[in-house]
Amino acid sequence: MNFKLSIANDYARVKTDCLVLGCFSDQKRWPGSLPTTTRKQLTALQGSGDLSGKPEETRWLYQISSVSAGRILLIGCGPRADWDEKGYRAFLGAAARQLLRSPVKTAAFALPGKVHGRAGGWHASQLASTLTTSTYRYHRTLSKPAAKPSLHRVNLLQDSSRGQAQLKAGLQRGQAIGNGINTARELGDLPGNICTPAYLAQRARKLAKGQASVTTRVLEEKQMEALGMGALLSVSRGSEQAAKLITIDYRGGDKSTSPVALVGKGITFDSGGISLKPGARMDEMKYDMCGAASVIGTMQALIELQAPVNVVAIIPASENLPSGSATKPGDIVTSMAGLTIEVLNTDAEGRLVLCDALSYAGKFKPSAVIDIATLTGACIVALGHHNAGLLSNHQALADQLLTAGRDSGDTAWQLPLEKAYQKQLHSNFADLANIGGPAAGTITAACFLSRFAEKYHWAHLDIAGVAWTQGAKKGATGRPVALLLEYLLQAAN
Ligand code: BES
Ligand code: MN
Ligand code: ZN
């Protein structure tokens, strides 16, 4: 998709297949940039009840002689007083759905109004990311891929050249974010027999190709063994696929600033291992690498933008399968940190791969470490499918991430990381157990991780409820790429 800013104060002359306009339910006047005849026509539609301006109402108008645009697409925006971030995103989403179903090749957006407290660049970024993600179609394993949408050029109309630079930067940023989200979605949607640990490693290597500021490194099992990563390796023991520890090191910022580390859970299929999961919907456990996918999508966007930040991505990648060599309940393993772990349930494997990755992250002297993981079913019970779970050992970092969630619309909600929960991880035979019982499963999982993240500021995002959708529209969401980029780009400014 091609995004462009157009300075135009006479919409009659905008050459496009489709002019996109918003309509508030209490819209009294239409923009002066529209010709008088068009404005009269729109007012007449409101009078006849054909245009109410209800949220997400869509109306196509064809062959309007007073404008050069081939069509006008009207999107209902609800009451003007309620116009907010959610409403604006709904407007963009509804417009994108309509446009992509139509033969329209080029569209020009006139924004219905500014969301209070949001700059022009934010509006532009939201527009570009929404339009970009709405073009995502899974195709890798379909013999007849869905037809490519006709829409390939979108103009953002602005009546004056004020704030041009910010708007242009916003469009560019939004497109990179959208591309990053689409990459994360594709990786998530790929089946476990294609998207293996080796496949993730290959995708990570691709990111570094021709990029002087990016270094990808892949540690093999032998090297992990030498580092003492007994927890991570205990997960891959049952699988024919070798585990990989992937790092993507991007240095776009000042040499002297320490990097942020992003650690993404990369279980390319989670059967539960010997603690085998029930069969129903087990296929969805191909999505157990969505943390890793979000990290790769985020790195891709940073590279596309050549963002002035230093970020290291660390991805522990493995399958979790049962076999004669698989780890068994009751087995005790030693982590890289030296702590011994009693594996009471082999299905609590995420924390086992993450704990060694967190120890490894310390080597980069990070200013902050954020791990992203489809870690607990309990997080879906607690927060459903709207918010990621957030736990942190540093409130300022948690606050930054919560804000980034609200700004991007990719939200998180904080849960308490209190010492009191730690005793649920008690083991008679090891330093800690890998499960904490049925109560507060998301918190005890984070408590487990916190034991390996004591040396730096750390936050954990449990994305079990938000990484993919179920049902007829089953598919990866690409969350929390938008949140992570918002956080990283805000920290850069
Ligand atoms: N990958 C799962 C968590 C999960 C389950 C995410 C369902 C999304 C949907 C994780 O590895 C897991 O199996 N967790 C267990 C932990 C339990 C054994 C303490 C769980 O949540 O049941
Ligand atoms: Mn599991
Ligand atoms: Zn898992």
Side-chain angles (χ1 to χ4, degrees):
M1 191 88 69
N2 203 321
F3 293 98
K4 232 186 120 203
L5 185 68
S6 294
I7 312 299
N9 48 24
D10 180 6
Y11 294 170
R13 293 188 2 212
V14 175
K15 287 209 173 55
T16 176
D17 290 346
C18 181
L19 180 62
V20 184
L21 301 174
C23 173
F24 292 109
S25 53
D26 48 358
Q27 180 124 3
K28 295 264 155 39
R29 277 185 300 137
W30 290 90
S33 358
L34 279 170
T36 320
T37 342
T38 317
R39 278 185 276 160
K40 276 196 183 139
Q41 224 168 334
L42 293 171
T43 308
L45 284 176
Q46 289 174 296
S48 63
D50 287 296
L51 181 63
S52 73
K54 277 198 311 256
E56 292 186 57
E57 174 188 65
T58 56
R59 295 288 180 264
W60 284 94
L61 309 181
Y62 301 98
Q63 297 177 352
I64 310 290
S65 53
S66 47
V67 296
S68 333
R71 312 154 181 74
I72 292 181
L73 173 59
L74 289 155
I75 306 286
C77 295
R80 183 70 180 86
D82 297 353
W83 188 235
D84 61 1
E85 288 86 350
K86 268 205 181 105
Y88 179 52
R89 286 191 195 101
F91 158 78
L92 295 172
R97 270 192 303 282
Q98 289 294 318
L99 290 170
L100 290 168
R101 264 194 241 137
S102 78
V104 162
K105 294 192 186 75
T106 63
F109 276 71
L111 300 188
K114 274 233 160 101
V115 172
H116 182 74
R118 295 293 178 183
W122 178 88
H123 289 80
S125 168
Q126 291 290 321
L127 171 86
S129 66
T130 306
L131 268 293
T132 302
T133 55
S134 56
T135 62
Y136 172 78
R137 304 282 180 276
Y138 177 81
H139 59 83
R140 260 299 283 278
T141 47
L142 297 170
S143 56
K144 286 196 195 74
K148 277 224 160 77
S150 321
L151 185 71
H152 60 80
R153 184 195 190 86
V154 171
N155 284 42
L156 170 57
L157 298 177
Q158 205 65 24
D159 10 348
S160 87
S161 55
R162 235 181 323 120
Q164 232 187 111
Q166 280 88 339
L167 289 168
K168 280 186 180 163
L171 288 176
Q172 202 188 20
R173 190 170 66 238
Q175 184 166 29
I177 294 170
N179 288 336
I181 291 171
N182 288 349
T183 290
R185 291 172 75 180
E186 205 219 351
L187 285 170
D189 285 337
L190 282 172
N193 60 337
I194 292 178
C195 185
T196 58
Y199 183 84
L200 287 177
Q202 184 202 319
R203 286 291 288 256
R205 283 208 183 90
K206 241 195 207 155
L207 283 183
K209 249 209 180 129
Q211 299 288 341
S213 50
V214 190
T215 318
T216 295
R217 242 189 115 193
V218 180
L219 295 190
E220 303 296 332
E221 290 193 343
K222 268 227 169 77
Q223 295 163 292
M224 291 186 247
E225 219 169 291
L227 287 164
M229 297 184 164
L232 195 165
L233 290 168
S234 76
V235 176
S236 68
R237 285 182 63 88
S239 163
E240 303 279 325
Q241 300 285 335
K244 310 272 175 187
L245 184 66
I246 306 159
T247 59
I248 310 162
D249 194 337
Y250 170 70
R251 305 284 165 152
D254 210 82
K255 271 204 177 74
S256 59
T257 41
S258 42
V260 172
L262 302 178
V263 179
K265 174 179 173 182
I267 299 295
T268 58
F269 188 74
D270 179 15
S271 73
I274 297 295
S275 312
L276 194 65
K277 286 182 182 295
R281 298 215 310 250
M282 202 207 270
D283 65 287
E284 291 182 16
M285 283 298 115
K286 73 173 182 181
Y287 289 118
D288 213 16
M289 36 56 71
C290 282
S294 74
V295 167
I296 292 176
T298 300
M299 298 308 279
Q300 180 197 294
L302 292 176
I303 296 165
E304 181 179 334
L305 291 170
Q306 293 289 303
V309 293
N310 295 332
V311 182
V312 183
I314 301 168
I315 296 168
S318 173
E319 289 186 326
N320 183 27
L321 293 179
S323 87
S325 57
T327 297
K328 309 170 289 300
D331 285 2
I332 293 176
V333 299
T334 304
S335 62
M336 180 178 172
L339 290 171
T340 57
I341 302 161
E342 185 179 18
V343 182
L344 289 174
N345 189 320
T346 64
D347 197 11
E349 85 298 339
R351 60 199 81 180
L352 295 174
V353 298
L354 287 170
C355 71
D356 281 341
L358 287 170
S359 298
Y360 189 71
K363 288 185 179 290
F364 294 89
K365 305 257 172 294
S367 58
V369 178
I370 303 160
D371 80 71
I372 305 98
T374 47
L375 203 64
T376 62
C379 194
I380 309 173
V381 178
L383 297 173
H385 302 288
H386 300 291
N387 288 289
L390 168 69
L391 297 102
S392 176
N393 64 9
H394 188 65
Q395 193 53 41
L397 174 60
D399 288 337
Q400 286 175 327
L401 290 167
L402 291 169
T403 303
R406 282 190 294 269
D407 291 349
S408 61
D410 186 358
T411 53
W413 195 266
Q414 194 173 5
L415 297 171
L417 184 77
E418 272 173 54
K419 256 218 165 102
Y421 295 91
Q422 286 283 354
K423 57 177 178 297
Q424 287 178 238
L425 296 170
H426 173 81
S427 160
N428 283 351
F429 308 108
D431 297 331
L432 70 170
N434 80 328
I435 54 171
T442 302
I443 298 174
T444 54
C447 281
F448 180 97
L449 295 177
S450 74
R451 302 283 294 273
F452 302 86
E454 286 170 355
K455 294 190 183 133
Y456 42 67
H457 296 161
W458 160 77
H460 161 63
L461 286 165
D462 193 330
I463 58 165
V466 301
W468 72 93
T469 50
Q470 301 171 332
K473 286 195 175 155
K474 180 152 77 179
T477 61
R479 289 180 69 177
V481 169
L483 181 159
L484 293 171
L485 285 167
E486 189 70 41
Y487 162 77
L488 292 166
L489 297 173
Q490 266 180 25
N493 290 326

